[in-house]
């Protein structure tokens, strides 16, 4: 096989591979001899079909297979011989039409990874913003939990419902005088002031008594989950079947025991640990962004345009998707077009930082151990049904890129932890609100790391790009223990739920104000108002 370099410009390379007909024919001959014993043909004993007949019957397919195999091997040899590090999958094309018995010419085009200058990691200075967890904050969480454990007692027949009371009702919802699907129910109990129902509903049942019948008027929100109801005015015919008042809320040992714990002190300790984990995650987010800003400011080198384009397309697709859910999708998309240059710069920064972190990790022996990898695979397998988990394990073993995709986020974290260990870090106590405000004021971008075990021929190890304009609301990655004692947070009802009621999410604590997650690929972007409602990624 002959190899000729036709382009060497910056990070771009191009080659022509000439595969002779003799090479292809010899490979076909070898394949014919290998499969001949397996071929069956009338008039011949098994395994005794002449090779010339085998070639006549299957020669075209065998020739195509031989050509494909030879091309693949040729490209791999080209990469090895020239010590190339492809940034993305090389483009391989056959020049002209290939005819059996003739030579084949193959064009190979690719971009290579740049020679990253030795990263400068000396003199890194970071500030760790610490949020002390006060006894008062823990007590507030306990009161919230106690409130969820409240008991209810029937009120007197003449009692009028107030905020905080529980009202049980039958209801029929109508739009334009016609009952709509999912708008009829019986025995729905709601605590007035809980915010579970659509805006304006709960306010209008203040003052009702058991046995009352009442019609109320409401408007479904514009972003309601059922398209046929979103933004529509509606009426609800109500029949109040019961009004209940809550018993005294007690914070005592029995509260802890009802949650499956041994003591109130144990409950306090669990809640304190949860709060410390949450604020610790926010602290890490802030430090990580400051670290990346320092690295970005101290390093500048060319990056492969194909990697930048792939990164940009992921960012852009996400932004376009989110703009499509704005109140005025066309206007939102038009605004995005004005900022396309900013987002291309974001993509370039991400790629450069990713390559830089990879270089730092390799130079300093950062690696993901097999034990850590096994834990990652086991965790990922939990999202599948038990009968499918073995297939998932096999898939990870057979597909290096799938394994790299799992490995990449942990590798990135370990590189960042290494850099934290080398940096000069000062500490300062702040409130949670101050920490969240500091994060919101940052415009840092978390890159996609191309680790030493990442195959740069593909981009499957890239984490999906998150929205670059607004910080993503999410919880810190660390999951605290004893989730069953966390106060429940609310999630918007799905379309198939009763249209007037909001569904409760699994018991999991919601931060008072969420901030961007450290490990998501958040990008720098012009400030812009976030949509009023955004679905969690």
């Amino acid at each position: 096989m002959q190899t000729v370099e036709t382009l060497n410009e910056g990070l771009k390379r191009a080659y022509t591979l000439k595969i002779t007909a003799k090479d292809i024919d010899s490979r076909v001959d070898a394949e014919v001899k290998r499969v001949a014993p397996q071929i069956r043909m009338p008039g011949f004993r098994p395994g005794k079909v002449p090779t010339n007949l085998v070639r006549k019957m299957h020669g075209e397919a065998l020739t195509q297979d031989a050509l494909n195999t030879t091309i693949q091997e040729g490209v791999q040899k080209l990469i090895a011989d020239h010590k190339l590090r492809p940034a993305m999958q090389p483009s391989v094309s056959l020049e002209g039409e290939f005819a059996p018995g003739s030579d084949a010419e193959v064009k190979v085009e690719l971009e290579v990874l740049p020679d990253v200058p030795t990263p400068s990691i000396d003199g890194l200075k970071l500030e760790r913003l610490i949020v002390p967890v006060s006894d008062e904050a823990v007590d507030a969480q306990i009161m919230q939990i106690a409130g969820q454990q409240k008991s209810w007692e029937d009120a007197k027949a003449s009692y009028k419902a107030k905020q905080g009371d529980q009202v049980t009702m039958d209801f029929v919802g109508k739009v334009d005088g016609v009952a709509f699907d999912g708008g009829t129910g019986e025995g729905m109990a709601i605590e007035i002031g809980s915010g579970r129902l659509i805006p304006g509903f709960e306010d209008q049942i203040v003052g009702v008594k058991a046995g009352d019948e009442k019609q109320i008027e409401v408007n479904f929100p514009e972003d309601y989950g059922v398209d046929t109801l979103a933004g529509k005015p509606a009426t609800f015919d109500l029949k109040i079947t019961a009004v209940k008042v809550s018993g005294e809320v007690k914070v005592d040992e029995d509260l802890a025991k009802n949650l499956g714990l041994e003591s109130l002190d144990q409950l306090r300790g669990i809640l304190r640990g949860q709060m410390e984990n949450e604020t610790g995650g926010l602290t890490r987010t802030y430090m990580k962004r400051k670290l990346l800003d320092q690295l970005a400011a101290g390093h500048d080198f060319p990056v492969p345009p194909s990697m930048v384009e792939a990164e940009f397309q992921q960012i852009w697709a996400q932004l376009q998707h989110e703009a499509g859910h704005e109140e005025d999708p066309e206007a939102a998309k038009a605004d995005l077009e004005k900022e396309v240059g900013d987002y291309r710069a974001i993509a370039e920064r991400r790629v450069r930082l990713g390559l830089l972190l990879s270089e730092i990790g390799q130079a300093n022996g950062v690696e993901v151990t097999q034990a850590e990898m096994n834990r990652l695979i086991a965790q990922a397998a939990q999202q599948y049904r038990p009968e499918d988990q073995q297939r998932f394990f096999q898939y990870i073993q057979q597909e290096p890129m799938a394994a790299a995709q799992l490995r990449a986020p942990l590798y990135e974290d370990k590189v960042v932890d290494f850099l934290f260990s080398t940096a000069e870090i000062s500490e300062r106590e702040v409130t949670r609100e101050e920490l969240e405000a500091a994060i919101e004021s940052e415009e840092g971008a978390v890159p996609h790391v191309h680790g030493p075990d990442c195959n740069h021929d593909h981009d499957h190890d890239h984490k999906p790009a998150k929205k670059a304009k607004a910080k993503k609301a999410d919880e810190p990655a660390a999951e605290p223990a004893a989730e069953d004692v966390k106060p429940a947070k609310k999630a918007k009802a799905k379309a198939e739920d009763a249209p007037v009621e909001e569904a409760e999410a699994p018991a999991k604590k919601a931060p008072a104000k969420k901030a961007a997650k450290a490990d998501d690929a958040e990008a720098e972007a012009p400030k812009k108002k976030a949509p009023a409602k955004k679905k969690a990624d």
Side-chain angles (χ1 to χ4, degrees):
M1 183 182 301
Q2 300 175 0
T3 302
V4 178
E5 184 179 71
T6 58
L7 176 66
N8 188 331
E9 183 179 304
L11 300 177
K12 294 183 178 181
R13 303 287 187 274
Y15 303 86
T16 297
L17 306 181
K18 184 175 182 181
I19 305 173
T20 65
K22 182 179 179 180
D23 289 340
I24 298 173
D25 287 341
S26 63
R27 190 179 289 271
V28 172
D29 288 340
E31 189 64 12
V32 168
K33 291 177 182 179
R34 187 186 68 83
V35 303
Q38 307 168 29
I39 300 296
R40 293 179 178 273
M41 184 180 293
F44 296 93
R45 286 180 297 166
K48 299 298 183 180
V49 179
T51 55
N52 64 321
L53 289 180
V54 174
R55 186 170 187 130
K56 183 176 181 180
M57 291 175 58
H58 304 285
E60 184 175 348
L62 292 175
T63 299
Q64 190 61 51
D65 289 345
L67 177 60
N68 291 339
T69 301
T70 305
I71 291 174
Q72 291 175 8
E73 292 179 356
V75 172
Q76 293 303 316
K77 187 175 185 300
L78 166 69
I79 291 172
D81 290 348
H82 290 75
K83 296 181 173 57
L84 301 175
R85 295 193 302 158
M88 302 284 284
Q89 179 74 24
S91 170
V92 181
S93 59
L94 193 62
E95 296 282 18
E97 294 290 333
F98 171 73
S102 64
D103 296 341
E105 285 197 359
V106 179
K107 185 176 183 180
V108 181
E109 297 177 306
L110 70 157
E111 288 178 342
V112 297
L113 292 174
D115 292 326
V116 179
T118 302
S120 174
I121 61 175
D122 296 330
L124 293 173
K125 294 184 179 181
L126 299 171
E127 184 179 42
R128 180 182 287 117
L129 302 183
I130 299 174
V131 180
V133 177
S134 66
D135 292 339
E136 292 77 13
V138 175
D139 289 341
Q141 289 295 309
I142 292 178
M143 286 301 299
Q144 187 175 347
I145 292 174
Q148 295 174 353
Q149 306 296 316
K150 66 178 63 173
S151 58
W152 298 99
E153 302 171 356
D154 287 326
K156 295 180 180 180
S158 60
Y159 180 83
K160 295 183 179 181
K162 300 182 297 186
Q163 289 285 332
D165 293 337
Q166 185 186 80
V167 175
T168 303
M169 69 191 84
D170 301 337
F171 61 91
V172 178
K174 300 177 182 179
V175 171
D176 295 331
V178 179
F180 55 85
D181 290 342
T184 301
E186 296 180 350
M188 181 182 73
I190 185 71
E191 179 181 345
I192 301 177
S194 64
R196 290 176 57 193
L197 306 186
I198 57 179
F201 194 111
E202 293 173 28
D203 293 339
Q204 297 183 64
I205 58 176
V206 171
V208 298
K209 304 186 303 294
D212 283 356
E213 294 187 8
K214 182 175 184 177
Q215 184 181 80
I216 64 173
E217 298 180 357
V218 295
N219 283 292
F220 281 99
E222 293 290 341
D223 59 355
Y224 192 69
V226 181
D227 293 340
T228 55
L229 299 177
K232 295 288 185 64
T235 62
F236 282 89
D237 297 329
L238 310 179
K239 181 177 181 180
I240 310 303
T241 58
V243 174
K244 297 185 178 183
V245 295
S246 65
E248 182 182 358
V249 176
K250 295 182 179 180
V251 176
D252 53 18
E253 297 295 326
D254 288 339
L255 172 64
K257 291 177 180 178
N258 289 338
L259 294 169
L261 303 176
E262 295 180 357
S263 66
L264 188 58
D265 285 342
Q266 185 184 10
L267 174 58
R268 289 181 184 279
I270 289 173
L271 291 175
R272 183 178 296 275
Q274 290 176 353
M275 297 169 73
E276 288 173 347
N277 280 341
E278 289 172 1
T279 56
L282 297 176
T283 295
R284 180 182 171 85
T285 295
Y286 177 78
M287 289 179 62
K288 187 172 184 178
R289 290 186 176 170
K290 287 294 187 180
L291 169 68
L292 294 175
D293 285 344
Q294 290 186 45
L295 291 176
H299 301 85
D300 187 19
F301 51 87
V303 293
S306 58
M307 293 179 70
V308 174
E309 180 64 21
E311 187 70 26
F312 169 76
Q313 290 301 331
Q314 291 188 64
I315 295 172
W316 197 246
Q318 181 69 16
L319 292 171
Q320 289 283 321
H321 173 75
E322 292 175 351
H325 290 79
E326 298 279 6
E327 291 185 7
D328 187 347
E330 294 303 317
K333 291 180 179 180
D335 287 342
L336 279 180
E337 291 293 342
K338 299 174 183 177
E339 300 167 354
V340 64
D342 295 312
Y343 290 112
R344 287 195 179 277
I346 291 167
E348 182 175 335
R349 171 185 158 109
R350 286 191 185 182
V351 171
R352 183 175 291 109
L353 279 171
L355 295 173
L356 188 60
L357 287 182
S358 176
E359 186 71 20
I360 292 171
Q362 293 181 61
N364 292 280
V366 177
E367 61 180 17
V368 174
T369 66
Q370 188 57 51
E372 291 171 330
M373 193 63 197
N374 291 341
R375 285 196 293 271
L376 288 175
I377 296 172
Q379 291 170 2
Q382 296 304 310
Q383 65 184 301
Y384 298 96
R385 297 175 300 181
E387 60 268 27
D388 293 332
Q389 289 183 8
Q390 186 57 41
R391 291 173 55 195
F392 173 75
F393 289 132
Q394 294 173 350
Y395 171 71
I396 293 296
Q397 291 173 350
Q398 296 168 0
E399 293 291 338
M401 291 314 307
Q405 185 176 17
L406 283 177
R407 185 184 294 109
L410 178 57
Y411 181 79
E412 173 188 308
D413 279 345
K414 296 187 77 168
V415 175
V416 169
D417 287 338
F418 166 76
L419 290 171
F420 284 167
S421 71
T422 66
E424 178 184 332
I425 299 178
S426 59
E427 295 185 349
R428 177 164 59 96
E429 287 191 3
V430 295
T431 65
R432 178 166 182 147
E433 291 71 24
E434 289 171 335
L435 175 55
E436 290 173 344
I439 292 173
E440 289 297 323
S441 68
E442 285 298 310
E443 297 289 343
V446 177
H448 296 158
V449 174
H450 303 269
D453 46 12
C454 166
N455 184 338
H456 295 287
D457 291 350
H458 300 76
D459 61 350
H460 303 299
D461 61 325
H462 291 180
K463 294 179 288 185
K466 307 297 185 206
K467 186 175 182 182
K469 286 184 174 183
K471 304 301 180 187
K472 178 193 170 193
D474 211 334
E475 293 180 331
E479 281 293 329
E483 290 186 15
D484 55 323
V485 301
K486 295 180 183 179
K489 67 180 180 180
K490 303 294 180 65
K492 190 178 186 306
K494 296 179 180 178
E496 62 267 22
D497 294 333
V500 297
E501 186 170 8
E502 303 244 324
E504 287 192 0
K508 193 171 184 181
K509 185 175 184 300
K513 180 182 179 184
K514 297 180 180 178
K517 183 176 178 181
D519 297 328
D520 284 327
E522 297 290 348
E524 297 172 324
K527 292 278 188 179
K528 192 168 184 179
K529 184 179 179 182
K533 181 176 183 297
K534 189 63 60 184
K535 183 178 179 182
D537 291 333

